[in-house]
């Protein structure tokens, strides 16, 4: 019965802390790989770190507006 914008906003607010905590803990492990992993893992660790950062940003700020735009057409 609630408008879709309200449902999406509530959903983001409920999962935001879990998303950020998961991303931070993953980034800590990747940072450890970057520091202690040696030369062979440096490029891999940096690409993983960039992927986690962009993935977190996308799931919080990009996916919801795109979903709302797609839902508006129905």
């Amino acid at each position: 019965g609630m408008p879709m914008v309200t449902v999406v906003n509530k959903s983001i607010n409920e999962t935001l802390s879990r998303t950020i905590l998961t991303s931070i803990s993953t980034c800590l492990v990747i940072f450890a790989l970057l520091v202690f992993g040696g030369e062979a893992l440096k490029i891999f660790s940096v690409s993983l770190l960039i992927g986690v950062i962009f993935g977190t940003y996308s799931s919080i700020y990009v996916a919801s507006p795109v979903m709302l735009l797609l839902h508006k057409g129905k």
Side-chain angles (χ1 to χ4, degrees):
M2 294 190 300
M4 185 61 109
V5 175
T6 306
V7 172
V8 170
N9 189 30
K10 187 174 180 177
S11 299
I12 290 174
N13 286 334
E14 287 178 357
T15 61
L16 185 63
S17 62
R18 183 176 57 203
T19 301
I20 291 175
L21 287 175
T22 302
S23 298
I24 289 172
S25 62
T26 305
C27 285
L28 287 175
V29 172
I30 295 171
F31 186 71
L33 266 177
L34 183 66
V35 172
F36 301 116
E39 197 61 36
L41 291 177
K42 284 202 187 295
I43 295 173
F44 179 67
S45 300
V46 169
S47 62
L48 278 178
L49 194 60
I50 290 170
V52 168
I53 291 169
F54 279 107
T56 303
Y57 177 81
S58 172
S59 68
I60 295 172
Y61 296 109
V62 177
S64 300
V66 169
M67 192 268 309
L68 286 172
L69 283 173
L70 291 174
H71 186 266
K72 192 179 276 189
K74 290 185 177 183

